[in-house]
């Protein structure tokens, strides 16, 4: 025996603590109408976790609590405790006794206790289901519900049988799996939806990323090209400037030199133009020279005349000396000589003043004659001596004159030579001046030509300087643009190695690079790709999310598959177990039926039925309702009976008693196949006549071998089969009371 006791406290009419003990396989509860017997059956349902208050004849939880009466107040809680013997381990917990308790409070709150510890309803239900005690009620047949199985639809019937066969657990599991599957499918749809939602974004970002990548590769290309271009350009410009500076130096200094030289040359030219003055000087000097020459000539002539005179005198002297040797010397009065001299000097003075040669000669003759006369007049020995003296004096006098003249000659010579030199010098200087003038002129032309050339060169240089400035400006702009486009790193081009002779390449090559740069810049602009980092990050995030979602879908699909497999397995198991169970039930049903009716036939069969379901479709904005019919195939269990000696086909043709018998036969058959630990039958026997009550009693006894029976009854026969009888009474206070009664007492109590 599994059931030990039931303690009711505050539940419905049982205001006071009441206890039922189930020490017999059949326990009957008897009592008059309205005493609270059914409340006992409901106390079972309650403690076993029944959630439908309605099935316990209440509306709210508080309807289950003793509501008070005229004489007693209401209670705040209702509690029912059911104690099982677990020595045969019908429950999967390691206790010899299992007490399940449920308490309900006025606010509707429920409490469940397992061996005194609070547990969840779920824990209670699972524990009970494992022991084939469900809350579905196949083992608690409430009052008037005996033929419920006959009235039920084929589908409900199937469910009831499945429940009784303990297959509910598979249903629970299958439903749970189906719910999970449904949820999983919903999740799959949801995740798919999410993927679909982000798909266009991914596509969009993909294009963006493509653009960004393209822009990036363009930027790289541009950067590389820029490095090459900028380095070359910088060095090219530096070289250009250096060369320019070098080239510029020479012509500038040369020009300056030329200017200076030109000044000089101009001066020289100006000087050479003043050569006329020199010509006059030359004429003057020439005159002077001629005069000097004439003076010299005169002096020389005089000297030579004196020489002549001297040599004449010397000869006269010689003769006079010779004469004197012969003749005595003649004394001559000094005054006479003085006279002679005066006479001679007069002639000479005249001669000196005379320029004319012939006059001069006459004078010279006159002088000679004078002298001769004098000598002749004195010529005596004495005279000869006197003549010697006189001649010697004359010679001396002439010598003196000659010396004086010679001195003059020297001076004249000197003068002539100096003048000649002066003349030569003036002449030379004129010639030299002319020469220099010509040279200067020539030089001036050459210089001016060169200067023109240099001005040209310098002009050219200046335009080249402009060009360099422009190129430098362009380079600077290019640098700025490069930094704007590519940032500071673009300026790190110094490490780039260039071929040694790179400066020798034609400029067009660099121009080509420039054009290429421009082209790439345009392409870069077209590619856009601003905020590349963000786009890449977003793309990465979105792709990761998509990947995550697709993985999620995979996982969900896998779990959906395993759930489908589980559902399939459960369905197969259900099918198999149901079919074997059904066979067994059929056999028992047949047995019980023929026992009840003394013959006839009854069987359960699998059936299918079309069920038309009406569906109301509300059309938006239209008041009319449209009916739609849906046909569903329902699987279930059909019951076919044939009573002995009656041509009865179909359950609806049975009498009330026949219906009760048939359903009892079926209930018992079901209970027989998978016996629950206990069965509560609330006045199932109400409609039976005496003969059938007896048969019912037999069946009960048979059934009690497998399940403990609690029978609420007014039936004497049924009472007679019970081992323990409880009487329920209700006094004027509206409180149900329990008492253990004997069979005879029971009969009295039942009335
Ligand atoms: P019958 O033989 O006619 O089927 P019964 O013995 O099965 O009757 P029950 O239906 O169990 O009687 O008891 C009904 C009684 O319980 C009623 O008198 C009802 O007033 C009483 N009752 C039900 N709920 C409560 C409650 N919450 N508080 C007090 N009494 C209650």
């Amino acid at each position: 025996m599994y059931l030990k006791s039931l303690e009711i406290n505050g539940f419905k009419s049982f205001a006071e603590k009441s206890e039922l003990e189930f020490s017999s396989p059949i326990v009957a509860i008897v009592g008059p109408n309205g005493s609270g017997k059914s409340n006992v059956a409901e106390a079972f349902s309650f403690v076993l976790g029944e959630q439908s208050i309605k099935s316990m004849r209440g509306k709210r939880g508080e309807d289950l609590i003793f509501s008070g009466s005229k004489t007693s107040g209401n209670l705040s809680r209702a509690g029912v405790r059911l104690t099982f013997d677990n020595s045969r381990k019908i429950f999967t917990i390691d206790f010899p006794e299992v007490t399940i308790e449920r308490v309900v409070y006025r606010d509707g709150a429920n409490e469940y206790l397992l061996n005194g510890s609070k547990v969840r309803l779920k824990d209670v239900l699972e524990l009970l289901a494992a022991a084939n005690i469900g809350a579905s009620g196949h083992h608690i047949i409430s009052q008037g519900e005996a033929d419920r199985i006959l009235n039920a639809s084929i589908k409900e019937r199937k469910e009831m049988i499945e429940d009784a066969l303990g297959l509910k657990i598979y249903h629970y599991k299958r439903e749970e799996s189906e719910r999970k599957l449904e949820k999983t499918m919903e999740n799959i749809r949801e995740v798919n939806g999410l993927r679909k939602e982000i798909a266009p974004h991914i596509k969009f970002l993909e294009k963006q990323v493509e653009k960004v990548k393209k822009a990036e590769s363009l930027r790289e290309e541009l950067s590389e090209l820029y490095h090459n271009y900028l380095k070359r350009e910088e060095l090219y410009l530096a070289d250009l400037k250096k060369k320019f500076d070098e080239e510029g130096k020479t012509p500038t200094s040369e020009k300056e030199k030329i200017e200076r030289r030109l000044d000089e040359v101009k001066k020289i030219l100006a000087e050479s133009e003043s050569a006329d003055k020199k010509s006059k000087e030359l004429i003057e000097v020439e005159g002077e020279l001629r005069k000097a020459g004439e003076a010299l000539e005169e002096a020389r002539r005089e000297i030579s005349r004196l020489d002549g005179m001297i040599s004449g005198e010397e000869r006269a002297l010689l003769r006079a000396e010779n004469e004197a040797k012969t003749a005595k010397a003649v004394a001559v009065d000094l005054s006479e000589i003085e006279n002679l001299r005066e006479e001679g000097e007069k002639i000479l003075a005249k001669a000196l003043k005379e320029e004319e040669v012939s006059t001069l000669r006459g004078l010279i003759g006159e002088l000679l004659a004078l002298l001769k006369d004098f000598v002749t007049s004195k010529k005596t020995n004495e005279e000869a001596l006197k003549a010697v003296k006189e001649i010697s004096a004359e010679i001396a006098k002439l010598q003196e004159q000659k010396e004086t003249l010679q001195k003059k000659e020297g001076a004249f010579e000197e003068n002539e030579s100096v003048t000649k030199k002066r003349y030569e010098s003036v002449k030379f200087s004129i010639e030299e001046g002319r020469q220099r003038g010509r040279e200067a002129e020539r030089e001036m032309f050459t210089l001016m030509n060169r200067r023109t050339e240099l001005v040209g060169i310098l002009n050219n240089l200046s335009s080249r300087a402009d060009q360099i400035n422009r190129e430098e400006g362009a380079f600077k702009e290019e640098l700025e643009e490069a930094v704007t486009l590519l940032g500071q790193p673009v300026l790190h081009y110094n490490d780039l190695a260039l071929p040694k002779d790179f400066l020798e390449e034609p400029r067009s090559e660099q121009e080509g690079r420039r054009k290429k740069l421009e082209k790439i810049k345009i392409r870069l602009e077209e590619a856009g790709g601003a905020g590349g980092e963000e786009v890449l990050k977003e793309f990465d995030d979105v792709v990761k999310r998509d990947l995550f979602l697709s993985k999620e879908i995979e996982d969900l699909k896998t779990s959906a598959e395993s759930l489908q497999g589980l559902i399939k397995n459960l369905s197969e198991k259900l099918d198999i177990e149901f079919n074997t169970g059904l066979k067994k039930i059929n056999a028992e049903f047949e047995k019980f039926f023929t026992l009840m009716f003394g013959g006839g036939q009854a069987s359960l069969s699998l059936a299918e039925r079309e069920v038309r379901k009406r569906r109301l479709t509300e059309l938006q904005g239209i008041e009319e309702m449209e009916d739609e019919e849906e046909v569903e195939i329902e699987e279930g269990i059909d019951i076919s009976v044939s009573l002995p000696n009656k041509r009865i086909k179909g359950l609806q043709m049975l009498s009330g008693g026949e219906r009760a018998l048939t359903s009892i036969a079926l209930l018992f058959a079901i209970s027989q196949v998978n016996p629950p630990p206990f069965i509560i039958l609330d006045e199932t026997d109400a409609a039976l006549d005496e003969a059938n009550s007896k048969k019912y009693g037999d069946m009960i006894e048979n059934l009690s071998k497998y399940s403990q029976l609690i029978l609420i009854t007014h039936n004497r026969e049924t009472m007679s089969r019970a081992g323990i009888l409880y009487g329920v009474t209700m006094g004027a206070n509206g409180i149900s009371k329990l008492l253990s009664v004997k069979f005879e007492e029971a009969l009295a109590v039942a009335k």
Side-chain angles (χ1 to χ4, degrees):
M1 278 182 295
Y2 309 108
L3 271 186
K4 278 192 93 173
S5 62
L6 178 79
E7 189 187 290
I8 313 175
N9 191 359
F11 184 80
K12 290 205 160 179
S13 56
F14 289 89
E16 289 159 7
K17 195 192 228 176
S18 315
E19 197 176 352
L20 288 95
E21 284 196 3
F22 307 104
S23 47
S24 164
I26 302 173
V27 174
I29 299 167
V30 301
N33 291 136
S35 60
K37 298 186 297 295
S38 292
N39 290 344
V40 175
E42 280 158 12
F44 268 99
S45 292
F46 173 73
V47 76
L48 295 177
E50 177 61 65
Q51 293 302 297
S52 158
I53 307 286
K54 200 177 149 201
S55 77
M56 293 181 281
R57 296 177 298 165
K59 278 182 187 158
R60 295 176 302 263
E62 66 174 343
D63 294 341
L64 304 177
I65 304 168
F66 179 70
S67 59
S69 64
K70 276 180 190 166
T71 50
S72 33
N74 66 1
L75 293 176
S76 61
R77 72 193 281 282
V80 179
R81 269 167 79 167
L82 186 60
T83 307
F84 291 92
D85 176 7
N86 193 33
S87 53
R88 280 196 268 168
K89 295 271 174 296
I90 57 161
F91 295 107
T92 52
I93 53 172
D94 208 9
F95 286 98
E97 240 180 48
V98 172
T99 300
I100 294 163
E101 185 174 358
R102 178 177 177 184
V103 180
V104 65
Y105 295 92
R106 286 227 168 255
D107 62 0
N110 282 276
E111 242 174 38
Y112 299 88
L113 295 105
L114 182 61
N115 283 357
S117 305
K118 270 191 195 173
V119 289
R120 295 168 301 173
L121 167 66
K122 194 172 164 264
D123 302 324
V124 176
L125 292 180
E126 275 177 15
L127 190 75
L128 292 170
N132 198 23
I133 308 167
S136 71
H138 70 275
H139 50 94
I140 301 176
I141 307 298
S142 320
Q143 202 174 352
E145 276 210 320
D147 63 350
R148 195 178 66 184
I149 195 157
L150 300 189
N151 296 330
S153 70
I154 59 164
K155 190 183 166 205
E156 285 165 346
R157 246 180 242 142
K158 191 182 175 201
E159 280 168 7
M160 286 159 93
I161 290 168
E162 276 173 344
D163 195 11
L165 284 171
L167 303 179
K168 202 78 187 172
I169 190 87
Y170 295 122
H171 270 287
Y172 284 151
K173 282 184 183 166
R174 191 169 71 178
E175 276 160 21
E176 202 184 340
S177 299
E178 276 166 354
R179 266 198 308 279
K180 278 187 191 162
L181 181 62
E182 175 91 355
K183 185 89 197 121
T184 306
M185 296 314 276
E186 202 181 300
N187 285 343
I188 290 175
R189 279 193 296 275
E190 233 167 63
V191 177
N192 257 331
L194 285 176
R195 278 195 81 192
K196 262 188 202 148
E197 244 171 59
I198 61 171
H201 193 47
I202 289 184
K203 239 184 198 169
F204 169 74
L205 283 174
E206 234 164 31
K207 275 189 193 144
Q208 293 293 101
V209 165
E210 221 171 82
K211 270 190 184 173
V212 167
K213 287 210 171 135
K214 196 180 161 197
E216 204 157 281
S217 83
L218 279 174
R219 220 174 265 129
E220 263 166 36
E221 199 183 334
L222 190 65
S223 165
E224 219 167 275
L225 200 59
Y226 251 138
H227 279 178
N228 196 8
Y229 175 81
L230 292 175
K231 177 141 190 189
R232 278 172 191 270
E233 194 67 5
E234 192 178 75
L235 294 177
Y236 159 78
L237 283 172
D239 179 64
L240 206 62
K241 260 185 101 176
K242 201 176 127 204
K243 277 188 190 151
F244 172 79
D245 287 345
E246 273 166 15
E247 273 178 52
K249 251 186 243 162
T250 330
T252 315
S253 68
E254 194 187 345
K255 191 176 164 247
E256 278 165 12
K257 242 192 222 162
I258 282 175
E259 300 284 3
R260 278 200 303 275
R261 183 66 192 146
L262 260 174
D263 286 347
E264 285 170 15
V265 170
K266 273 178 189 166
K267 260 185 217 154
I268 293 168
L269 259 180
E271 272 167 25
S272 77
E273 272 160 18
S274 64
D276 285 353
K277 274 188 217 157
K278 290 261 169 159
S279 302
K280 262 185 208 160
E281 192 189 342
L282 189 66
I283 291 163
E284 274 170 29
V285 176
E286 202 178 16
E288 273 173 40
L289 184 61
R290 187 164 42 83
K291 270 182 192 163
E294 279 169 2
L296 183 62
E297 197 74 10
E298 180 65 34
R300 281 187 184 148
R301 237 184 351 258
E302 194 59 24
I303 288 170
S304 71
R305 191 183 61 90
L306 284 175
D307 273 343
M309 282 169 75
I310 290 169
S311 56
E313 285 300 322
E314 280 172 342
R315 274 184 318 265
L317 183 62
L318 209 53
R319 270 186 325 263
E321 279 171 345
N322 286 336
E323 233 176 88
K325 281 168 188 173
T326 55
K328 280 197 187 165
V330 176
V332 177
D333 208 25
L334 186 60
S335 58
E336 286 176 287
I337 294 167
E338 280 284 341
N339 286 340
L340 180 72
R341 196 194 76 183
E342 269 173 28
E343 290 284 310
E345 271 178 0
K346 279 176 193 166
I347 297 165
L348 276 174
K350 267 188 200 169
L352 277 173
K353 277 176 198 157
E354 194 55 60
E355 275 187 2
E356 202 55 46
V357 179
S358 51
T359 321
L360 266 173
R361 273 187 191 131
L363 285 170
I364 294 167
E366 196 183 333
L367 188 63
L368 286 173
L370 178 74
L371 291 170
K372 211 170 178 179
D373 288 347
F374 181 82
V375 172
T376 324
S377 64
K378 302 293 178 194
K379 233 171 175 182
T380 61
N381 271 350
E382 268 171 48
E383 275 177 358
L385 276 175
K386 201 184 160 192
V388 169
K389 256 191 200 167
E390 280 174 5
I391 292 168
S392 289
E394 188 66 24
I395 288 172
K397 202 175 111 194
L398 286 174
Q399 265 320 357
E400 205 181 316
Q401 278 177 4
K402 187 188 165 186
E403 269 168 32
T404 308
L405 268 174
Q406 271 177 331
K407 269 183 196 160
K408 269 190 183 172
E409 184 197 18
F412 287 151
E413 267 176 0
E414 178 73 21
N415 183 38
E416 193 200 24
S417 141
V418 167
T419 310
K420 197 171 184 179
K421 270 185 193 153
R422 242 183 84 207
Y423 174 79
E424 288 299 330
S425 146
V426 172
K427 197 177 156 193
F428 177 77
S429 121
I430 287 170
E431 263 169 25
E432 194 198 39
R434 285 204 184 120
Q435 179 69 17
R436 278 178 69 199
R438 278 194 299 279
E439 276 171 10
E441 211 170 56
R442 261 204 309 279
E443 194 181 347
M444 193 175 74
F445 285 125
T446 315
L447 286 173
M448 274 160 76
N449 279 343
R450 181 66 186 147
R451 192 176 63 178
T452 314
E453 252 174 52
L454 284 172
V455 167
I457 289 170
L458 285 171
N459 279 344
N460 185 27
L461 280 169
S462 134
S463 69
R464 261 174 71 195
D466 288 347
Q467 174 69 16
I468 289 172
N469 277 342
R470 274 200 300 280
E471 284 188 69
E472 273 180 339
F475 178 64
K476 248 190 196 163
E477 274 171 26
E478 198 62 67
L479 274 179
E480 276 164 20
E481 198 180 346
V483 170
T484 313
L485 282 170
L486 303 169
Q488 290 293 327
V490 79
L491 302 179
H492 303 157
Y493 51 77
N494 277 327
D495 299 341
L496 189 78
L498 290 177
K500 268 185 187 164
D501 55 351
F502 80 95
L503 280 171
E504 279 152 38
E505 71 165 23
R507 187 70 178 141
S508 59
E509 299 269 327
Q510 182 75 333
E511 267 312 305
R513 281 183 204 108
R514 239 193 87 78
K515 276 182 192 153
K516 205 168 170 197
L517 275 176
E518 292 310 317
K519 266 187 203 160
I520 296 173
K521 276 188 225 164
I522 290 166
R523 278 169 64 202
L524 189 63
E525 202 170 312
E526 281 167 358
E533 297 256 302
E534 281 156 44
V535 170
L536 288 179
K537 164 119 195 16
E538 197 182 347
F539 180 68
D540 199 45
D541 287 351
V542 175
V543 165
K544 265 188 199 153
R545 179 154 165 69
D546 188 57
L547 206 73
F548 169 77
L549 291 176
S550 82
K551 181 105 200 325
E552 185 109 323
I553 287 176
E554 284 308 305
D555 291 351
L556 285 168
K557 276 184 180 163
T558 313
S559 78
E561 272 164 28
S562 87
L563 281 169
Q564 276 160 345
L566 188 64
I567 290 166
K568 201 177 153 224
N569 276 347
L570 285 168
S571 298
E572 280 168 8
K573 219 171 189 170
L574 245 173
D575 264 7
I576 292 165
E577 293 206 7
F578 182 77
N579 285 328
T580 34
L582 189 66
K583 253 188 208 157
K584 283 183 190 164
I585 290 170
N586 251 334
E588 293 297 321
F589 185 31
E590 180 90 54
K591 230 162 54 187
F592 281 115
F593 189 83
T594 44
L595 194 74
M596 286 276 195
F597 289 98
Q601 257 186 336
S603 66
L604 301 176
S605 56
L606 280 170
E608 274 183 3
R609 205 172 63 174
E610 278 189 1
V611 182
R612 288 182 194 281
K613 279 193 178 170
R614 281 207 158 171
R615 214 170 60 177
L616 290 178
T617 316
E618 201 174 339
L619 295 175
Q620 262 189 346
I622 302 168
E623 277 177 22
E624 282 172 49
M625 303 282 238
E626 216 173 76
D627 287 5
E628 232 181 60
E629 258 194 358
E630 236 181 41
V631 179
E632 243 181 41
I633 301 290
E634 218 176 60
E635 266 199 353
I637 295 294
D638 226 354
I639 305 173
S640 54
V641 289
S642 69
L643 297 180
N645 311 319
K646 285 190 182 174
R647 279 197 189 166
I648 279 181
K649 295 259 149 42
L651 294 171
Q652 62 277 17
M653 290 172 80
L654 294 173
S655 79
E658 285 166 344
R659 277 182 79 82
L661 281 173
T662 308
S663 49
I664 288 164
L666 184 52
L667 287 174
F668 285 12
I670 291 169
S671 300
Q672 192 93 356
V673 170
N674 188 32
F678 63 91
I679 301 171
I680 299 165
L681 299 168
D682 191 351
E683 294 184 43
T684 314
D685 52 7
L688 304 181
D689 59 21
E690 234 185 279
N692 281 332
S693 293
K694 195 164 173 334
K695 284 177 193 162
Y696 179 74
D698 291 344
M699 284 196 291
I700 279 171
E701 267 185 44
N702 189 40
L703 205 61
S704 72
K705 286 177 200 158
Y706 310 102
S707 304
Q708 237 173 314
L709 299 175
I710 293 122
L711 311 169
I712 296 166
T713 186
H714 291 287
N715 192 305
R716 177 197 161 85
E717 183 59 40
T718 308
M719 286 182 213
S720 73
R721 311 280 177 149
I724 291 174
L725 284 157
Y726 283 106
V728 182
T729 58
M730 185 183 273
N733 57 3
I735 297 175
S736 295
K737 274 212 154 73
L738 264 174
L739 54 145
S740 187
V741 290
K742 299 239 165 62
F743 178 63
E744 290 75 22
E745 290 168 332
L747 286 175
V749 168
K751 281 172 188 157

